Short mmCIF file of all heavy atoms in Angstrom, two decimals:
data_model
loop_
_atom_site.label_atom_id
_atom_site.label_comp_id
_atom_site.label_asym_id
_atom_site.label_seq_id
_atom_site.Cartn_x
_atom_site.Cartn_y
_atom_site.Cartn_z
N SER A 28 118.40 106.10 90.12
CA SER A 28 117.98 107.56 89.82
C SER A 28 119.23 108.44 89.83
O SER A 28 120.21 108.16 89.11
CB SER A 28 116.85 108.10 90.65
OG SER A 28 117.28 107.94 92.06
N GLY A 29 119.35 109.43 90.75
CA GLY A 29 120.52 110.24 90.93
C GLY A 29 120.39 111.62 90.24
O GLY A 29 119.30 111.98 89.67
N PRO A 30 121.33 112.44 90.35
CA PRO A 30 121.40 113.87 90.05
C PRO A 30 121.18 114.24 88.55
O PRO A 30 121.03 115.37 88.13
CB PRO A 30 122.75 114.37 90.57
CG PRO A 30 123.54 113.22 90.70
CD PRO A 30 122.74 112.05 91.08
N THR A 31 121.30 113.10 87.65
CA THR A 31 121.20 113.47 86.20
C THR A 31 119.82 112.99 85.68
O THR A 31 119.42 113.30 84.57
CB THR A 31 122.22 112.74 85.47
OG1 THR A 31 122.07 111.31 85.59
CG2 THR A 31 123.59 113.18 85.84
N LEU A 32 118.96 112.42 86.54
CA LEU A 32 117.66 111.92 86.16
C LEU A 32 116.61 113.09 85.94
O LEU A 32 116.38 113.75 86.90
CB LEU A 32 117.07 110.86 87.02
CG LEU A 32 115.84 110.14 86.77
CD1 LEU A 32 116.04 109.26 85.57
CD2 LEU A 32 115.23 109.41 87.89
N THR A 33 116.00 113.18 84.84
CA THR A 33 114.94 114.17 84.51
C THR A 33 113.63 113.54 84.71
O THR A 33 113.51 112.16 84.59
CB THR A 33 115.11 114.81 83.19
OG1 THR A 33 114.87 113.72 82.21
CG2 THR A 33 116.43 115.40 83.03
N ALA A 34 112.51 114.27 84.65
CA ALA A 34 111.14 113.73 84.68
C ALA A 34 110.87 112.97 83.45
O ALA A 34 110.30 111.77 83.51
CB ALA A 34 110.13 114.85 84.91
N GLU A 35 111.31 113.43 82.33
CA GLU A 35 111.17 112.85 81.05
C GLU A 35 111.87 111.44 81.01
O GLU A 35 111.28 110.46 80.53
CB GLU A 35 111.63 113.79 79.88
CG GLU A 35 111.29 113.19 78.60
CD GLU A 35 111.80 114.19 77.37
OE1 GLU A 35 112.54 115.10 77.71
OE2 GLU A 35 111.36 113.84 76.24
N GLN A 36 113.10 111.38 81.53
CA GLN A 36 113.82 110.10 81.57
C GLN A 36 113.07 109.16 82.54
O GLN A 36 112.96 107.94 82.17
CB GLN A 36 115.20 110.38 81.98
CG GLN A 36 116.01 111.13 80.93
CD GLN A 36 117.43 111.62 81.54
OE1 GLN A 36 117.58 111.53 82.65
NE2 GLN A 36 118.32 111.91 80.62
N MET A 37 112.55 109.65 83.64
CA MET A 37 111.91 108.66 84.57
C MET A 37 110.84 108.12 83.98
O MET A 37 110.55 106.82 83.98
CB MET A 37 111.52 109.56 85.83
CG MET A 37 110.83 108.71 86.84
SD MET A 37 108.97 108.52 86.64
CE MET A 37 108.37 110.22 86.90
N VAL A 38 109.93 108.91 83.31
CA VAL A 38 108.74 108.34 82.60
C VAL A 38 109.11 107.34 81.63
O VAL A 38 108.49 106.25 81.57
CB VAL A 38 107.93 109.50 82.11
CG1 VAL A 38 106.69 108.81 81.23
CG2 VAL A 38 107.24 110.38 83.13
N ALA A 39 110.06 107.58 80.77
CA ALA A 39 110.48 106.63 79.74
C ALA A 39 110.92 105.34 80.30
O ALA A 39 110.55 104.26 79.67
CB ALA A 39 111.59 107.38 78.89
N ARG A 40 111.70 105.32 81.29
CA ARG A 40 112.29 104.09 81.92
C ARG A 40 111.28 103.44 82.61
O ARG A 40 111.32 102.15 82.54
CB ARG A 40 113.45 104.64 82.84
CG ARG A 40 114.67 105.06 82.09
CD ARG A 40 115.70 105.56 83.09
NE ARG A 40 116.86 106.27 82.43
CZ ARG A 40 117.97 106.68 83.08
NH1 ARG A 40 118.12 106.34 84.33
NH2 ARG A 40 118.85 107.35 82.38
N VAL A 41 110.32 104.10 83.34
CA VAL A 41 109.16 103.36 83.92
C VAL A 41 108.37 102.64 82.92
O VAL A 41 108.10 101.46 83.12
CB VAL A 41 108.27 104.49 84.79
CG1 VAL A 41 107.06 103.71 85.19
CG2 VAL A 41 109.04 104.88 85.96
N ILE A 42 107.97 103.36 81.84
CA ILE A 42 107.19 102.73 80.84
C ILE A 42 107.89 101.46 80.28
O ILE A 42 107.25 100.41 79.98
CB ILE A 42 106.85 103.70 79.65
CG1 ILE A 42 105.91 104.79 80.12
CG2 ILE A 42 106.27 102.92 78.37
CD1 ILE A 42 105.63 105.97 79.23
N ASP A 43 109.13 101.65 80.03
CA ASP A 43 109.95 100.46 79.50
C ASP A 43 109.98 99.35 80.57
O ASP A 43 109.82 98.02 80.19
CB ASP A 43 111.40 101.01 79.21
CG ASP A 43 112.30 99.82 78.56
OD1 ASP A 43 111.81 99.37 77.57
OD2 ASP A 43 113.24 99.44 79.21
N LEU A 44 110.21 99.62 81.80
CA LEU A 44 110.36 98.74 82.86
C LEU A 44 109.07 97.92 83.11
O LEU A 44 109.10 96.75 83.48
CB LEU A 44 110.91 99.26 84.10
CG LEU A 44 111.40 98.44 85.24
CD1 LEU A 44 112.54 97.44 84.79
CD2 LEU A 44 111.83 99.21 86.48
N ALA A 45 107.93 98.71 82.94
CA ALA A 45 106.63 98.08 83.17
C ALA A 45 105.91 97.59 81.92
O ALA A 45 104.78 97.45 81.81
CB ALA A 45 105.76 99.03 83.89
N GLY A 46 106.74 97.36 80.86
CA GLY A 46 106.19 97.06 79.64
C GLY A 46 105.29 95.98 79.53
O GLY A 46 104.45 95.89 78.65
N ASP A 47 105.44 94.94 80.44
CA ASP A 47 104.57 93.79 80.30
C ASP A 47 103.54 93.76 81.47
O ASP A 47 102.90 92.74 81.65
CB ASP A 47 105.49 92.39 80.43
CG ASP A 47 106.26 92.42 81.78
OD1 ASP A 47 106.54 93.41 82.31
OD2 ASP A 47 106.63 91.31 82.21
N TRP A 48 103.35 94.81 82.11
CA TRP A 48 102.28 95.07 83.14
C TRP A 48 101.13 95.81 82.54
O TRP A 48 101.26 96.71 81.67
CB TRP A 48 102.90 95.76 84.27
CG TRP A 48 103.80 95.03 85.14
CD1 TRP A 48 104.08 93.66 85.04
CD2 TRP A 48 104.53 95.65 86.32
NE1 TRP A 48 105.00 93.40 86.06
CE2 TRP A 48 105.34 94.34 86.84
CE3 TRP A 48 104.71 96.81 86.88
CZ2 TRP A 48 106.20 94.57 87.90
CZ3 TRP A 48 105.60 97.04 87.91
CH2 TRP A 48 106.23 95.94 88.45
N GLN A 49 99.96 95.43 82.91
CA GLN A 49 98.69 96.16 82.51
C GLN A 49 98.45 97.18 83.66
O GLN A 49 98.36 96.77 84.86
CB GLN A 49 97.56 95.21 82.35
CG GLN A 49 97.86 94.08 81.30
CD GLN A 49 97.88 94.81 79.83
OE1 GLN A 49 97.08 95.65 79.56
NE2 GLN A 49 98.85 94.33 79.12
N TYR A 50 98.15 98.45 83.31
CA TYR A 50 97.73 99.54 84.23
C TYR A 50 96.85 100.52 83.49
O TYR A 50 97.18 100.90 82.37
CB TYR A 50 98.96 100.06 84.91
CG TYR A 50 100.10 100.65 84.14
CD1 TYR A 50 100.09 102.17 83.71
CD2 TYR A 50 100.96 99.90 83.46
CE1 TYR A 50 100.99 102.50 82.92
CE2 TYR A 50 102.00 100.37 82.63
CZ TYR A 50 101.95 101.67 82.36
OH TYR A 50 102.92 102.31 81.60
N ASP A 51 95.89 101.03 84.30
CA ASP A 51 95.00 102.03 83.77
C ASP A 51 95.31 103.42 84.32
O ASP A 51 95.06 104.46 83.53
CB ASP A 51 93.54 101.72 84.30
CG ASP A 51 93.21 100.33 83.85
OD1 ASP A 51 93.17 99.99 82.64
OD2 ASP A 51 92.81 99.45 84.72
N VAL A 52 95.86 103.58 85.49
CA VAL A 52 96.16 104.75 86.17
C VAL A 52 97.59 104.69 86.76
O VAL A 52 98.05 103.55 86.99
CB VAL A 52 95.13 105.24 87.15
CG1 VAL A 52 93.71 105.39 86.44
CG2 VAL A 52 95.05 104.18 88.30
N VAL A 53 98.13 105.83 87.14
CA VAL A 53 99.58 105.78 87.75
C VAL A 53 99.46 106.73 89.07
O VAL A 53 98.81 107.82 89.02
CB VAL A 53 100.48 106.37 86.81
CG1 VAL A 53 101.91 106.47 87.37
CG2 VAL A 53 100.55 105.65 85.38
#
Side-chain angles (χ1 to χ4, degrees):
S28 57
T31 63
L32 184 71
T33 65
E35 184 176 11
Q36 290 170 345
M37 180 276 289
V38 172
R40 293 181 190 181
V41 166
I42 290 173
D43 183 59
L44 191 61
D47 59 339
W48 287 351
Q49 298 296 316
Y50 55 95
D51 307 300
V52 297
V53 181

